[in-house]
Amino acid sequence: MWSDLEPIGRSGQTGGYRRHAWTRTDHDLREWFVGECAARDLEVVEDRAGNQWAWWGDPDTTPGVVIGSHLDSVPDGGAFDGPLGVVSALATVDALRAAGVTPHVPLGVVNFVDEEGARFGVACAGSRIITGVLTADRARSLTDADGVSMAQAWRSAGRDPATMGPDPETLSRVGCFVELHVEQGKALALAPDGSDDLTDPARAVAIGTDIWPHGRWRIDIPGEANHAGTTRLEDRHDAMLGLASVVQSARSYAAGLGCVATVGKVLVEPGGVNAIPSHVTAWLDARGADEDAVRATVAGVSADAAALGAGTTEESWTPTTRFDPSLVSRLSGILPGAPLLGTGAGHDAGILATHGVPSAMLFVRNPTGVSHSPAESARAEDCHAGVDALTAVVTELCNGRTTTPMSDGR
Ligand SMILES: [Zn+2]
């Protein structure tokens, strides 16, 4: 499976993947998924967002256990983020059959569409649409860099955008969801003393506990345009110096409060090499394990920015997403000794968890922690440990007495 996927959507120049939703490349990946499922006698059904679900057993009789992830990528992404979860899910089906295990409750394998939001700007679009978090009207009108709307992209892919929308029927089939994913940091690749260590087999796979609280803020830094050659330094009001200080203060508050903070996008006006910047708009991304610490980081940056005359506007805020505690504790029982790990990255499992679907994640060790880059990696033995862990989990969840009871609010 891995070598079949390897060339699809890979850039010859960078070696990175450009697997964006509703493109020809995405179509090829979706066809690959259908083919792999057909080879296992699993029929694929699509929901009202275009997510693909393959069922072993009938989820309309009793809700099933779902495993899988996504096949799309960020621009110049790595091979593992997403596909590792889909390939591991299919390998789990194979492992169960090889062991003669037939699930007592239905087992589903899912390929979520447009998880990265690389083309239309909204991450986890597939799970957001079926849960209604992203309305069909708004989704249809999102546009890509070429001005193509999601509705037009759907039509080009042979789909009717009028059918897009919330899909409670699909969600009612999901008793619980366990998403296996490559780790996007290096917690599992470090020994307790902080040194690199890939030798501990007990740290090959971790159980996800929660998704960190995170948000985005826009900071508007004022200045005054003037000539870069004729204006004395003491007469300048340079918005770029304000940006430099905002970036430094983000770093120092984050370090002091145990968070991460990033200024990864800026807009400079007027944007001339020979003009003193009259205005800089900067976007701050801040995350951390603790909500109060993230809030305090942003409050500190925003107070420092205000002292420069800059205004801070919150553009989004997502509180901590906790995975289902009873599912997490069941996974801990099935995988004794597996580390428990929170993550700073968003996932479809988080969207489903917020919607009340009992969800959890498994993370496979990433030697360098690098992700969203062609350098993203995982060792073969750790990937196999991931399949073994997922197989153990599914065996227990599908053959235990019942699936995890659904939370209220479904
Ligand atoms: Zn992912």
Side-chain angles (χ1 to χ4, degrees):
M1 286 189 273
W2 205 247
S3 53
D4 288 347
L5 283 174
E6 206 259 335
I8 305 177
R10 188 170 204 178
S11 155
Q13 282 113 46
T14 64
Y17 287 95
R18 293 176 186 167
R19 295 166 165 171
H20 301 166
W22 306 118
T23 58
R24 175 76 214 184
T25 297
D26 190 41
H27 170 84
D28 292 347
L29 291 163
R30 296 168 65 83
E31 286 295 297
W32 173 87
F33 182 75
V34 170
E36 289 297 322
C37 293
R40 292 167 176 80
D41 289 321
L42 306 176
E43 195 191 340
V44 173
V45 289
E46 293 189 7
D47 63 24
R48 295 186 63 198
N51 304 306
Q52 296 175 302
W53 305 79
W55 284 104
W56 180 4
D58 180 3
D60 289 321
T61 55
T62 178
V65 173
V66 177
I67 54 178
S69 189
H70 62 96
L71 291 174
D72 68 317
S73 78
V74 296
D76 284 324
F80 294 81
D81 177 355
L84 183 63
V86 175
V87 167
S88 298
L90 292 165
T92 292
V93 170
D94 296 342
L96 293 174
R97 289 182 175 168
V101 174
T102 302
H104 290 173
V105 299
L107 175 63
V109 178
V110 64
N111 170 33
F112 278 107
V113 72
D114 201 5
E115 194 273 346
E116 300 288 4
R119 183 171 177 193
F120 298 104
V122 175
C124 301
S127 56
R128 285 183 202 270
I129 291 170
I130 58 168
T131 53
V133 175
L134 174 61
T135 65
D137 279 344
R138 179 156 172 250
R140 282 186 286 253
S141 63
L142 294 169
T143 53
D144 68 11
D146 297 322
V148 177
S149 69
M150 192 185 283
Q152 289 170 304
W154 267 46
R155 278 191 285 269
S156 302
R159 309 178 63 83
D160 177 4
T163 62
M164 187 191 296
D167 198 333
E169 193 184 355
T170 290
L171 289 165
S172 72
R173 296 178 182 135
V174 186
C176 68
F177 176 45
V178 180
E179 180 172 6
L180 179 146
H181 204 277
V182 69
E183 194 199 348
Q184 295 175 287
K186 56 183 301 193
L188 295 178
L190 297 175
D193 68 359
S195 62
D196 285 10
D197 177 15
L198 301 177
T199 59
D200 186 354
R203 299 186 67 77
V205 180
I207 298 165
T209 51
D210 60 280
I211 295 176
W212 288 358
H214 56 275
R216 290 181 181 188
W217 292 263
R218 193 185 74 240
I219 302 173
D220 285 288
I221 306 159
E224 192 178 275
N226 212 330
H227 195 288
T230 59
T231 316
R232 298 188 315 155
L233 290 179
E234 47 270 60
D235 292 337
R236 296 181 182 209
H237 186 29
D238 185 344
M240 195 66 94
L241 285 176
L243 172 69
S245 125
V246 163
V247 172
Q248 292 287 2
S249 100
R251 172 71 178 227
S252 89
Y253 282 108
L257 290 157
C259 298
V260 290
T262 308
V263 177
K265 179 178 166 181
V266 296
L267 211 72
V268 181
E269 292 166 46
V273 175
N274 55 0
I276 296 163
S278 61
H279 192 99
V280 172
T281 310
W283 280 267
L284 172 71
D285 176 304
R287 315 176 189 216
D290 180 71
E291 283 189 20
D292 292 342
V294 178
R295 286 292 193 187
T297 298
V298 176
V301 175
S302 144
D304 288 0
L308 306 165
T312 303
T313 310
E314 183 172 298
E315 291 197 335
S316 71
W317 169 251
T318 308
T320 307
T321 303
R322 294 204 192 288
F323 292 126
D324 189 77
S326 72
L327 183 56
V328 169
S329 90
R330 275 188 88 179
L331 297 195
S332 285
I334 299 164
L335 306 170
L340 297 171
L341 208 61
T343 175
H347 296 283
D348 292 308
I351 304 295
L352 293 198
T354 302
H355 190 69
V357 178
S359 301
M361 294 188 73
L362 296 177
F363 293 111
V364 171
R365 177 161 55 193
N366 175 337
T368 61
V370 172
S371 185
H372 286 184
S373 146
E376 183 180 87
S377 71
R379 301 186 309 166
E381 57 261 54
D382 291 347
C383 295
H384 292 156
V387 174
D388 291 345
L390 194 57
T391 303
V393 163
V394 169
T395 302
E396 173 66 22
L397 295 181
C398 285
N399 290 306
R401 281 52 57 194
T402 55
T403 54
T404 305
M406 287 189 210
S407 306
D408 294 332
R410 285 287 305 278

